Amino acid sequence: MTDSPHGEPLERLRVLTERNVLGIWADGTFCGTGFLVTPDTALTCAHVVAGREESSLTATVEGRSVPIEVRRLIPATKGAQSTYGFPDLAELRLLQPASDLRGVWLGNSAPTQAAAVSVHGFSGHTLEPGVQPDTLHLTVAGRSGRFVRLQWDQVVQGFSGGPVLDTTTGRVCGVLKASRHEKGMSGGWLIPIDAVEELSPGLLGRNHAAHRAGTVWFDVARNREGRQAALFGPDPAPVSGNTPAQLLARGAMPFVERPELDELKDWCYEADDQLLRLLYAPGGSGKTRLAAELCRQLRESGWIAGFADRECLGNPVHRHQWLEDFTGALGAEFPCLVVFDYAQARLDDISVLMAHIHRYRPDGITLRVLLLARSEEPLWQALKEEFEARYIEDWALRGASSLRLPSTLSTKDPGDLAGEAFGEFVRLLGCPWVRMPSSLARGAARQDSVLGILAAALDAVLTLRQGDEWKESDDPLARICRHEISGWHKLLEDRLGTGGAFAGRTGRLMAEGLLLVPTLARGRDRGELTALLTAVRGAAFPGQPPVNAPALHGCLRALYPSAEGDHVAPLEPDRLGEILVRRVLAEPESSGDEVAYLRKTLDVSMLREERSRPGAVLDTLDVLARARGCTTVGRVADHPAHAVLDGALAQLVHDNPRVLVPALVTVGARLPHAEILAALVQPVLETCESDLLCLVEQRLPRYPSGLSALSALVLQRLLAMTDTESDDSSVHVRMQRLRRCSLRLEESGNRGDAVRTADEAVLLSRDLVRKSARYTSDYAAALHNLSLLRHRSGETQAALGLSVEAVSLYRQLVATAPHMRHRTLMDMAGALSLLALLRLGDAQVNGAARDAAEGVMRCEQVPEGARDDDVYLACLETLAECRHRTGLTEEALAWSLQAVERLEDLVKLRPGRYVARLPETLQRHGFGLLRAEKYREAYSVLSRAAMERAALPSRTSPRLREEQTLVLQVLTQLSDELDDFRNDRSSWLQMKNMLDGRTN
């Protein structure tokens, strides 16, 4: 999109300019034009006010006459020349500031040659008598000495001192100096705006500071409205329509204030460059609604903010233009917020955006990217893998943080929320005679989410409006789904009649199955969706009469219009769509032949854009995975639909493995509970050919996940196949597979096989490194991996030898290639951390201290975003223990305190991952203070450790219970010995008794 204002924005700028123009008078005589640059400061030409009696000077501002005084004239006098010399500028002060005006927005430099400009001022040369507002349109001819020459319009007396608006930039680029040839089209001159700094140092800076994103002139000149619409569409209106689902969707209910909104706004306005934040919570907790409100409030403050549309950013055809528009908005100095809903399904879009910004970002930008998901992991690990592949992890992940949204509101009682929602739904549905049942408020307290409370209130209104008795439900969303289906049936009857394909029970159930199609197959245009509806009806319901697919599409479009052309929107909220999936699949007559039904919804061959087909398959599988229970929240135990879905998908995987197996692995890699999907593809992967295994291998996650066992299976099968190639490249591929396989086997609980596989990886990498030093990092990584597995198996001496060799190799790498990749440095730090731990266990305290100190140093060489903080913390804690054992107590306390402080920072950023680790780290620091005989400080730290531990869910680990018992015993003893804490003794005894009771 163009960056220059044109059309309506340019007209608005001209109006803004005119509002800030002054007519300058002396004793009732018109002298010339001026213009405001701040509410109390104006500019004009020096020759307009020079020699005037200052007490006689006034200015007209929007029809008001205001006394003015001259602050500065440059030059102070005209001199002997025929015209006033450069810069011919005067600074005026209004004795009554124009508080409702900010002044024009001054540019940074003179206009470029051939630029079109407009001049706004006053003259006596209009068709009306006297001095009137007037306008000129000119073109920049070029430099004329220190002035700039203008041409192509008649510059008449009275315009001197008027603002020259550059229509290219939308800013005032100079002050008009009138022509000596008033009767010709010879134009005139302007005083370039950079001369203002000579007149009044600091005035330009004050003016620029007053015009920023969110102020009228800035937003119009930089076309904020146009940029917002191009990136995120027009400002979203409340959801239209009155179906039950739409009444629950975003915008139907007034937003209820939540403290997390202030926290997110603070994050947006923080000076630190914290680009990424994850907002996670169970489905129905209000993540999308909260993010929409955040966008709305930021837009009111001058931001460009909205949800990244799948079609714009996810579609390769449209992606480039969207990214160019986005960097253009950042370059125009607009702060920007991009929200990704269902972030786990948008990893590629997120990484493409971040890589583009990293490459093309202007300096000094304000950018925030908010991710919405139902769980924290494995999202961060998957994102890190994506970013590492693009070499942007150090920048993109710096300061990345998580915020868990409570599933219910902390600021409002559930019963009060239910009551307010009931009243709002009564108003929206126009049934004022309906009265709220007393049981609604009581039932609201039992709901596990905001959406559940709203659904209960809506269900009550809908039921009572029909004249039926309302009863509480454990699952009000399921009842809303039934209301939604009833409305669908009524629309079909109204539009298509009571007979035909949808008549009778069988026809009504088939209609439910067709209602689900746009939710499973999103983003289809009219032709694509109509063809799909026809195909689903024909394949899944072969015995049923044919349907009028275009008319059916019209009914769907009438209920669920999309902002995109003639598309049909999916059923929202998403949890309602998932309920409909289970409902349709659980009822044989709704899905018909369920295998054929899903086969057609997963068939993307009818999509016109071939590049969008893989993404469409992933989108459908993502909806099915959520409905099946692969997310951390919202799982429906033992639902009848599960067996149907599993059986149908298993058959489809068997029939079309090359498409569906890699797709299911891709979806599973980013979900917290992918074991269900792994079970569907495992039978195929146990017997398939190597080409499919290689295809799947590219999609396997390289981090612990629900696919670890499946990953091990794929890698083991590839390793078991006879490899006819024996060149170094083939051996290297085998070695990498062995190493990855050992990690996945260890995660799956097969430690013995993991050690044997890791051992083979070491042998192969050793052979490779003997042939070429370029395999040194692979050999070091293989040694470290085997050392770690042997340490976990209790083989300490073997692990120590392997670890020493691994660290030695890493040191060689650093010496020969000091500017190596961050990942290699972190691998080295991990190896040093393990070696220090092994040496400590072998009583090699000084050696352990050296290794741990080097590990800390290597970690600190890596930028924060690319740093593995688990390794960093381990190095700090090991170094502290080493210093204690060598008697360097103060150094030990400094290192353990640094570990506590870093962990506290991490808890603020990623509480879900790190908060459980805090008590143990505090405990180590507290015991270190005891060793140093700093009892009061130790008491303070250990008491905090005990309270942090008590706030966590109960743990069954014997080790943790023993540590907790020990801390409480020490606190009890210290409270006996320290007078200041004697009153705390009973609390520690009570906590210890409670812990003993749970243990027993």
Side-chain angles (χ1 to χ4, degrees):
M1 65 178 294
T2 178
D3 289 340
S4 302
H6 59 280
E8 183 187 351
L10 183 56
E11 187 57 35
R12 290 174 63 189
L13 287 175
R14 288 174 175 146
V15 171
L16 285 171
T17 307
E18 290 169 358
R19 289 190 64 199
N20 285 277
V21 168
L22 312 177
I24 299 175
W25 301 75
D27 285 329
T29 301
F30 177 66
C31 303
T33 301
F35 57 94
L36 291 170
V37 291
T38 71
D40 67 348
T41 304
L43 294 178
T44 188
C45 286
H47 73 260
V48 171
V49 294
R52 310 284 184 182
E53 181 65 38
E54 191 158 314
S55 62
S56 69
L57 288 173
T58 60
T60 54
V61 185
E62 292 195 307
R64 295 180 293 115
S65 181
V66 178
I68 58 175
E69 66 179 20
V70 179
R71 278 182 173 170
R72 295 180 184 85
L73 286 176
I74 300 183
T77 59
K78 177 181 176 182
Q81 300 173 348
S82 60
T83 61
Y84 230 90
F86 186 87
D88 191 9
L89 281 175
E91 179 185 352
L92 311 177
R93 185 172 77 89
L94 277 68
L95 300 182
Q96 298 171 11
S99 56
D100 55 338
L101 297 173
R102 287 177 180 266
V104 303
W105 188 18
L106 300 176
N108 292 314
S109 59
T112 57
Q113 189 171 13
V117 298
S118 64
V119 184
H120 300 269
F122 295 90
S123 81
H125 296 262
T126 70
L127 294 178
E128 298 178 63
V131 176
Q132 300 292 339
D134 205 351
T135 306
L136 301 173
H137 292 282
L138 303 108
T139 301
V140 175
R143 285 281 179 178
S144 178
R146 297 175 69 184
F147 295 99
V148 174
R149 183 182 292 278
L150 303 174
Q151 61 185 14
W152 305 126
D153 203 348
Q154 182 179 357
V155 179
V156 296
Q157 187 176 7
F159 273 103
S160 286
V164 182
L165 177 67
D166 187 336
T167 61
T168 303
T169 65
R171 299 168 72 174
V172 170
C173 60
V175 183
L176 187 70
K177 183 178 174 68
S179 169
R180 290 175 295 170
H181 305 285
E182 294 186 3
K183 296 182 179 180
M185 300 293 286
S186 56
W189 291 271
L190 71 78
I191 306 155
I193 204 65
D194 41 22
V196 172
E197 196 65 19
E198 181 180 338
L199 169 71
S200 179
L203 182 58
L204 277 177
R206 294 198 306 276
N207 175 269
H208 293 168
H211 295 275
R212 58 190 184 280
T215 58
V216 175
W217 198 305
F218 187 104
D219 288 354
V220 174
R222 300 284 174 88
N223 194 16
R224 182 165 74 93
E225 286 185 6
R227 295 179 189 278
Q228 173 73 38
L231 290 167
F232 302 116
D235 286 353
V239 174
S240 59
N242 278 337
T243 78
Q246 289 159 349
L247 289 170
L248 285 180
R250 182 176 76 208
M253 278 289 296
F255 178 73
V256 179
E257 287 295 330
R258 307 183 73 158
E260 293 79 16
L261 178 61
D262 290 334
E263 197 168 338
L264 288 172
K265 286 197 292 187
D266 289 345
W267 163 66
C268 288
Y269 285 107
E270 279 175 1
D272 294 340
D273 200 14
Q274 297 180 0
L275 296 174
L276 279 173
R277 189 156 219 192
L278 169 65
L279 179 67
Y280 68 102
S285 300
K287 300 183 296 295
T288 305
R289 184 74 180 90
L290 178 62
E293 181 64 17
L294 175 67
C295 289
R296 187 192 69 78
Q297 292 194 18
L298 290 179
R299 285 195 296 270
E300 289 182 351
S301 301
W303 286 58
I304 291 176
F307 286 70
D309 183 74
R310 287 172 181 263
E311 182 63 22
C312 293
L313 189 54
N315 188 324
V317 176
H318 305 142
R319 175 182 288 170
H320 176 74
Q321 185 60 54
W322 194 94
L323 291 171
E324 288 297 312
D325 288 347
F326 191 71
T327 46
L330 290 169
E333 300 180 40
F334 286 109
C336 294
L337 168 71
V338 186
V339 182
F340 286 91
D341 208 351
Y342 286 102
Q344 74 280 355
R346 308 286 304 279
L347 296 181
D348 183 59
D349 294 349
I350 297 165
S351 61
V352 164
L353 172 65
M354 299 301 282
H356 181 85
I357 298 301
H358 182 259
R359 184 174 181 182
Y360 296 106
R361 69 187 187 278
D363 293 332
I365 63 170
T366 298
L367 169 64
R368 296 292 182 266
V369 179
L370 180 63
L371 313 179
L372 309 182
R374 293 186 179 181
S375 62
E376 189 176 22
E377 295 295 353
L379 180 61
W380 282 122
Q381 292 169 307
L383 264 180
K384 186 173 184 180
E385 190 171 281
E386 289 274 347
F387 292 163
E388 284 178 345
R390 299 176 186 272
Y391 303 107
I392 60 170
E393 73 280 3
D394 55 333
W395 170 77
L397 290 173
R398 183 174 63 244
S401 59
S402 298
L403 175 62
R404 187 181 187 282
L405 184 67
S407 57
T408 55
L409 296 174
S410 59
T411 56
K412 187 175 285 291
D413 177 77
D416 292 342
L417 177 61
E420 290 179 14
F422 186 93
E424 183 66 16
F425 291 136
V426 163
R427 184 188 68 79
L428 291 170
L429 293 170
C431 49
W433 64 89
V434 172
R435 294 291 177 264
M436 188 177 84
S438 59
S439 57
L440 177 60
R442 295 194 302 271
R446 289 192 284 274
Q447 294 302 319
D448 64 355
S449 68
V450 175
L451 186 62
I453 296 172
L454 300 180
L458 178 57
D459 175 45
V461 174
L462 293 170
T463 303
L464 294 169
R465 187 180 66 162
Q466 296 169 177
D468 298 331
E469 181 185 359
W470 181 78
K471 294 181 180 179
E472 229 181 290
S473 169
D474 291 335
D475 191 356
L477 279 168
R479 291 173 67 159
I480 293 299
C481 189
R482 289 199 290 272
H483 289 297
E484 190 78 9
I485 290 168
S486 296
W488 169 237
H489 290 318
K490 186 176 186 307
L491 179 69
L492 291 176
E493 290 178 2
D494 291 344
R495 290 203 169 196
L496 306 182
T498 56
F502 301 122
R505 181 179 183 278
T506 301
R508 290 171 68 84
L509 289 173
M510 180 177 70
E512 293 182 24
L514 296 176
L515 173 64
L516 176 61
V517 171
T519 297
L520 290 177
R522 303 178 179 215
R524 310 294 171 95
D525 64 25
R526 180 185 179 86
E528 292 166 343
L529 184 56
T530 300
L532 180 59
L533 290 166
T534 302
V536 170
R537 205 291 310 161
F541 308 96
Q544 291 295 100
V547 300
N548 183 343
L552 184 63
H553 179 277
C555 293
L556 288 165
R557 171 84 181 151
L559 275 186
Y560 310 111
S562 170
E564 293 181 48
D566 56 5
H567 292 194
V568 175
L571 186 62
E572 292 182 337
D574 290 303
R575 275 186 67 186
L576 207 56
E578 293 157 24
I579 289 171
L580 184 59
V581 171
R582 292 192 289 267
R583 178 185 171 100
V584 166
L585 291 174
E587 175 53 66
E589 290 178 279
S590 289
S591 55
D593 181 339
E594 65 273 4
V595 175
Y597 182 94
L598 291 179
R599 178 179 285 115
K600 287 302 177 183
T601 55
L602 285 163
D603 181 4
V604 294
S605 61
M606 291 181 285
L607 294 182
R608 294 183 185 86
E609 293 182 4
E610 189 172 345
R611 284 184 291 180
S612 66
R613 292 174 184 174
V617 173
L618 294 177
D619 287 345
T620 300
L621 290 175
D622 193 62
V623 175
L624 294 173
R626 294 200 309 269
R628 178 59 181 88
C630 296
T631 54
T632 52
V633 186
R635 302 182 66 166
V636 181
D638 301 324
H639 196 282
H642 289 175
V644 178
L645 178 57
D646 291 350
L649 282 177
Q651 182 63 50
L652 293 176
V653 166
H654 178 271
D655 296 344
N656 191 11
R658 290 194 64 82
V659 171
L660 292 182
V661 171
L664 281 166
V665 169
T666 300
V667 172
R670 56 205 188 192
L671 295 175
H673 298 294
E675 300 83 0
I676 299 164
L677 304 184
L680 297 176
V681 300
Q682 182 171 333
V684 173
L685 292 174
E686 286 174 342
T687 57
C688 67
E689 299 298 325
S690 61
D691 58 339
L692 180 56
L693 291 171
C694 292
L695 195 60
V696 170
E697 183 186 18
Q698 302 168 21
R699 316 285 184 98
L700 295 173
R702 296 172 185 259
Y703 46 81
S705 72
L707 296 181
S708 290
L710 189 77
S711 300
L713 167 66
V714 171
L715 294 167
Q716 283 177 311
R717 285 210 62 215
L718 286 169
L719 290 166
M721 292 179 177
T722 303
D723 192 351
T724 57
E725 302 290 337
S726 59
D727 58 278
D728 289 354
S729 177
S730 300
V731 174
H732 183 241
V733 169
R734 180 176 179 81
M735 182 273 300
Q736 289 182 315
R737 284 173 173 165
L738 285 164
R739 187 151 57 88
R740 294 204 310 275
C741 185
S742 69
L743 293 170
R744 304 293 87 84
L745 286 166
E746 165 72 5
E747 291 157 9
S748 306
N750 301 315
R751 182 165 291 163
D753 291 341
V755 171
R756 285 189 291 274
T757 306
D759 201 24
E760 186 180 349
V762 167
L763 295 175
L764 281 183
S765 56
R766 183 177 294 151
D767 291 340
L768 286 171
V769 85
R770 286 170 179 164
K771 296 179 182 179
S772 172
R774 72 174 183 269
Y775 298 111
T776 302
S777 61
D778 292 297
Y779 184 31
L783 286 166
H784 171 56
N785 181 43
L786 180 58
S787 173
L788 182 62
L789 292 173
R790 291 204 177 277
H791 167 58
R792 290 174 179 172
S793 301
E795 303 173 47
T796 305
Q797 287 304 313
L800 181 57
L802 292 164
S803 189
V804 168
E805 189 176 359
V807 168
S808 176
L809 290 170
Y810 278 122
R811 285 176 175 147
Q812 290 176 31
L813 284 169
V814 171
T816 55
H819 302 295
M820 61 179 55
R821 287 281 305 135
H822 302 145
R823 183 67 265 166
T824 306
L825 282 172
M826 283 312 310
D827 288 342
M828 180 181 184
L832 285 161
S833 173
L834 176 61
L835 179 57
L837 188 65
L838 292 169
R839 287 194 194 278
L840 202 58
D842 198 45
Q844 301 178 30
V845 179
N846 291 323
R850 286 193 302 272
D851 295 332
E854 187 179 355
V856 170
M857 178 191 72
R858 297 303 177 195
C859 286
E860 292 176 347
Q861 287 178 330
V862 177
E864 184 182 318
R867 185 186 301 158
D868 187 329
D869 280 297
D870 292 321
V871 171
Y872 186 36
L873 290 170
C875 289
L876 288 170
E877 290 173 347
T878 304
L879 181 55
E881 180 61 25
C882 292
R883 295 302 187 221
H884 273 302
R885 295 198 188 183
T886 53
L888 301 174
T889 304
E890 291 302 320
E891 280 192 40
L893 292 176
W895 290 116
S896 63
L897 180 59
Q898 187 173 334
V900 169
E901 290 172 344
R902 179 56 189 157
L903 187 54
E904 287 173 333
D905 291 339
L906 292 170
V907 167
K908 293 175 185 175
L909 295 173
R910 303 270 304 277
R913 179 178 176 87
Y914 289 104
V915 72
R917 186 167 178 170
L918 186 56
E920 195 166 349
T921 302
L922 285 167
Q923 177 183 311
R924 289 197 184 100
H925 184 52
F927 284 141
L929 289 165
L930 283 177
R931 290 179 183 177
E933 298 182 357
K934 298 184 177 185
Y935 299 119
R936 293 182 182 280
E937 293 178 49
Y939 182 89
S940 176
V941 172
L942 290 174
S943 62
R944 186 182 165 202
M947 299 307 294
E948 294 280 357
R949 178 87 71 188
L952 295 173
S954 298
R955 303 296 182 94
T956 56
S957 163
R959 181 183 67 82
L960 290 178
R961 283 201 304 269
E962 288 174 9
E963 290 179 357
Q964 194 173 0
T965 300
L966 178 59
V967 169
L968 291 172
Q969 287 174 343
V970 170
L971 286 169
T972 303
Q973 183 178 344
L974 287 174
S975 60
D976 262 342
E977 297 171 359
L978 301 173
D979 292 340
D980 293 351
F981 308 113
R982 199 175 299 277
N983 293 336
D984 298 342
R985 185 174 185 277
S986 59
S987 299
W988 304 129
L989 286 172
Q990 184 180 5
M991 288 179 66
K992 185 176 181 303
N993 291 335
M994 290 175 63
L995 178 64
D996 292 342
R998 286 201 302 269
T999 303
N1000 293 335

